[in-house]
Amino acid sequence: MKRSRVLGPGIALALAALALAPQASAEVERGELLAASCFSCHSIDATGNMPGLVGYPRDLMISQMQAFADGSRPATIMDRHSKGYSKADVELIADYIATLQ
Amino acid sequence: MTNIKRRNFLKAVGIGGAATVAGFGCAANGSATASRSAHVIVIGGGSGGATAAKYLKRFSPDLQVTLIEPSATYYTCYGSNWVLGGHASMDDIAQTYDALASRHGVNVVTDSVTEVDPAKRAVKTAGGTTMNYDFLIMSPGIDFRYDAVPGITAADAERVPHAWKAGDQTRILRSQLEAMPDGGVFVMVAPGNPFRCPPGPYERASMVAHYFKQAKPRSKIIILDNKENFSKQGLFVAGWAQHYGDMIEWVPSSRGGQVEEVDVANLTTISDSGLTTFKADVLNYIPPQQAGAIAMQTGLTGDGFWCPVNQQTFESSIHPGIYVIGDSSVAGAMPKSGHSANNQGKIAAAAIVNSLAGKDPLAPSTANTCYSLITPDHAISVAAVYALNAEGTLAGVEGSGGVSPADAPASVRQMEAIYTKGWYTGITADIWG
């Protein structure tokens, strides 16, 4: 196993692991996937000129999405987007975004 | 997994670096149920592929993710019309992979994939590397069907640019427009449906008109279309009349817009069985399109030109384990746009992560937004939210979406122009930042 010594123990273990099924413990919840759609314009780094969403308060998110949908808050495009989500979807998005840091 | 050649695996481990070794931590503990981190290869570093690579790492940091893209610098197709109009530079639409590698731990390989073996779950590259994958995401964009119209081939793209993949082609078309004398005719042949960026040809006409109005105001723009209507048509036509008078003429299929042959030497298009011809000073022929070459070659398009997928996950209907996103995929009502590709990258990444976790795929809800500039201070948009319908197709959610209002004041058009720039900055940060 001269080669193993050269390459280091990590490689040998990696080779041993080859026989095993690939796994990952992470899981994506629906709120996270829905919110990821928002980040296309509202960059998570707050780059660009759309308002940043990181840590956006949950109840404010819900009320603003409602206001865009019913027209009480004027918008150029969020009126058209907000009507595409159910109240339950908006809550999932708001729950997830409020946890972002 | 016994088919993985040891040499190739070492190569994969080598490029995975420290993060890869860390991923084997449980094996180092000697656990009998140890696992290795899965390896996902992403082909194509455009809007779909770069997003998928980044979000795979975001959703599941332990994954090994390799992004294979031939160019070290990627020029976005969106924004390239602004370069043609002279109010953005090539640098403004250039993106690189530095942040994907350094911030997100994606293994970025500058190479092109020459062969995919779905049975062995392996890819070969032009650089001579073979890599194995557990999951493959393909985002190869579009390829051109130059065989659709006689008289023109891919070899003519320098004299008659398509400029529908940004980069050198954008530069070539811009130089031709700059060299054109005042009073010249710019003829654009728009591609048939479906094609990349449905509002793109009409934004291009707008941006070229913006340039002509300042630099060569006696010039003319003719759009030859094999369609009878087009994206955001009412808003474009009204904007053209408002800003450019009769400089832009749109010719639908029924009035001779269906080009049947191109005479490259004379920069002339021929339609109506030879009865109608258009002579150009600058000719921009945008060919009909099909899925990117590697998707066609891998058999992912079946008998058609585009790749059928399970629209809940974007996994190929033909080869399980391969996910096809972006322009190459058949994605229900979603248009072939950078914004769609970006969202599809997230759906495919989530589907792979949840599949590894043994979870059912999520019900996706996704969106598209396309802004188009008519002048640098007058923009219009189309937006939609999509959900999976009972037939398993991504369809627009009733009541949502639509185009900018027809009767909006100039202040709203200007606000949308400001958001157009903001959208570009935001989405490119989401994809490559």
Side-chain angles (χ1 to χ4, degrees):
Chain A
M1 293 299 285
K2 187 178 177 189
R3 185 180 292 268
S4 293
R5 281 200 300 276
V6 171
L7 293 172
I11 297 299
L13 288 163
L15 289 170
L18 262 183
L20 302 165
Q23 286 178 7
S25 52
E27 181 187 348
V28 184
E29 304 281 357
R30 186 147 189 275
E32 184 174 13
L33 182 59
L34 288 174
S37 188
C38 308
F39 302 147
S40 301
C41 298
H42 299 262
S43 155
I44 206 159
D45 300 324
T47 310
N49 56 18
M50 320 286 179
L53 297 179
V54 171
Y56 201 93
R58 176 187 187 275
D59 292 347
L60 192 60
M61 174 69 73
I62 294 168
S63 70
Q64 295 310 294
M65 285 292 278
Q66 178 58 38
F68 283 133
D70 67 22
S72 55
R73 179 173 171 182
T76 54
I77 206 161
M78 279 309 297
D79 49 343
R80 290 175 262 159
H81 277 294
S82 57
K83 290 176 190 142
Y85 298 91
S86 67
K87 190 164 180 290
D89 282 348
V90 171
E91 286 173 1
L92 284 177
I93 293 170
D95 282 338
Y96 174 76
I97 283 180
T99 66
L100 279 179
Q101 291 176 356
Chain B
M1 286 289 130
T2 49
N3 56 26
I4 298 179
K5 289 198 176 70
R6 185 170 183 276
R7 184 174 58 86
N8 296 328
F9 182 73
L10 290 178
K11 213 175 266 183
V13 168
I15 52 190
T20 305
V21 175
F24 296 121
C26 48
N29 291 337
S31 159
T33 56
S35 64
R36 63 182 179 84
S37 60
H39 184 213
V40 186
I41 293 180
V42 182
I43 299 177
S47 301
T51 300
K54 174 174 167 177
Y55 274 78
L56 281 164
K57 291 297 287 185
R58 190 176 152 80
F59 290 148
S60 184
D62 289 346
L63 282 177
Q64 273 193 79
V65 179
T66 301
L67 175 66
I68 309 175
E69 156 64 36
S71 313
T73 301
Y74 182 89
Y75 293 95
T76 60
C77 216
Y78 38 95
S80 64
N81 287 330
W82 314 339
V83 175
L84 297 176
H87 71 100
S89 71
M90 290 302 287
D91 284 347
D92 292 332
I93 60 165
Q95 306 296 334
T96 64
Y97 300 93
D98 302 347
L100 286 181
S102 64
R103 283 186 66 190
H104 304 290
V106 174
N107 170 40
V108 179
V109 176
T110 307
D111 203 342
S112 56
V113 173
T114 52
E115 196 183 330
V116 174
D117 184 336
K120 291 187 175 163
R121 298 201 168 210
V123 305
K124 277 186 193 163
T125 70
T129 308
T130 299
M131 281 182 255
N132 290 92
Y133 62 82
D134 297 300
F135 294 89
L136 178 66
I137 296 181
M138 250 199 225
S139 189
I142 52 160
D143 215 346
F144 296 116
R145 290 168 50 207
Y146 271 103
D147 59 350
V149 171
I152 186 163
T153 69
D156 298 313
E158 200 138 324
R159 170 121 166 101
V160 180
H162 54 75
W164 218 244
K165 291 182 182 179
D168 285 340
Q169 278 282 304
T170 314
R171 290 191 191 93
I172 292 169
L173 182 53
R174 173 68 189 168
S175 333
Q176 291 188 0
L177 291 167
E178 283 174 345
M180 192 188 88
D182 190 11
V185 180
F186 170 58
V187 176
M188 181 201 318
V189 181
N193 289 324
F195 64 99
R196 162 181 283 182
C197 191
Y202 317 99
E203 187 198 52
R204 173 169 294 180
S206 309
M207 289 291 91
V208 172
H210 168 71
Y211 166 63
F212 283 174
K213 188 177 175 179
Q214 303 164 70
K216 36 200 85 170
R218 296 190 296 109
S219 306
K220 181 97 185 136
I221 297 168
I222 296 171
I223 307 168
L224 301 179
D225 221 323
N226 77 347
K227 300 182 277 298
E228 291 300 308
N229 47 59
F230 60 88
S231 171
K232 296 185 254 186
Q233 184 169 357
L235 293 167
F236 272 115
V237 170
W240 293 342
Q242 181 187 342
H243 297 290
Y244 306 120
D246 58 1
M247 183 185 276
I248 300 172
E249 183 188 352
W250 175 68
V251 183
S253 175
S254 56
R255 297 211 320 263
Q258 172 78 58
V259 171
E260 291 157 358
E261 192 179 341
V262 178
D263 176 352
V264 170
N266 295 303
L267 295 181
T268 297
T269 66
I270 297 155
S271 30
D272 292 337
S273 307
L275 294 175
T276 306
T277 59
F278 292 91
K279 168 87 177 82
D281 292 284
V282 174
L283 179 57
N284 174 206
Y285 174 74
I286 308 167
Q289 294 155 26
Q290 63 187 14
I294 191 70
M296 299 287 291
Q297 186 195 313
T298 310
L300 290 161
T301 54
D303 296 332
F305 291 116
W306 307 99
C307 305
V309 296
N310 172 343
Q311 292 176 25
Q312 185 171 6
T313 59
F314 284 82
E315 185 170 15
S316 165
S317 312
I318 293 171
H319 288 306
I322 301 182
Y323 293 66
V324 185
I325 57 173
D327 294 344
S328 281
S329 68
V330 177
M334 293 187 86
K336 298 188 185 303
S337 72
H339 198 112
S340 292
N342 165 255
N343 274 272
Q344 293 159 9
K346 295 166 186 175
I347 293 172
I352 288 172
V353 168
N354 282 358
S355 162
L356 280 164
K359 304 287 179 185
D360 290 335
L362 296 164
S365 173
T366 185
N368 179 60
T369 308
C370 289
Y371 286 100
S372 304
L373 290 182
I374 292 178
T375 78
D377 299 311
H378 178 148
I380 54 176
S381 62
V382 58
V385 179
Y386 304 92
L388 217 56
N389 66 15
E391 289 78 47
T393 301
L394 285 166
V397 176
E398 207 173 313
S400 76
V403 299
S404 307
D407 55 357
S411 59
V412 168
R413 304 297 188 217
Q414 186 164 25
M415 189 63 81
E416 289 220 278
I418 292 167
Y419 284 137
T420 302
K421 305 288 170 54
W423 171 86
Y424 186 92
T425 311
I427 200 164
T428 52
D430 189 41
I431 299 168
W432 292 280

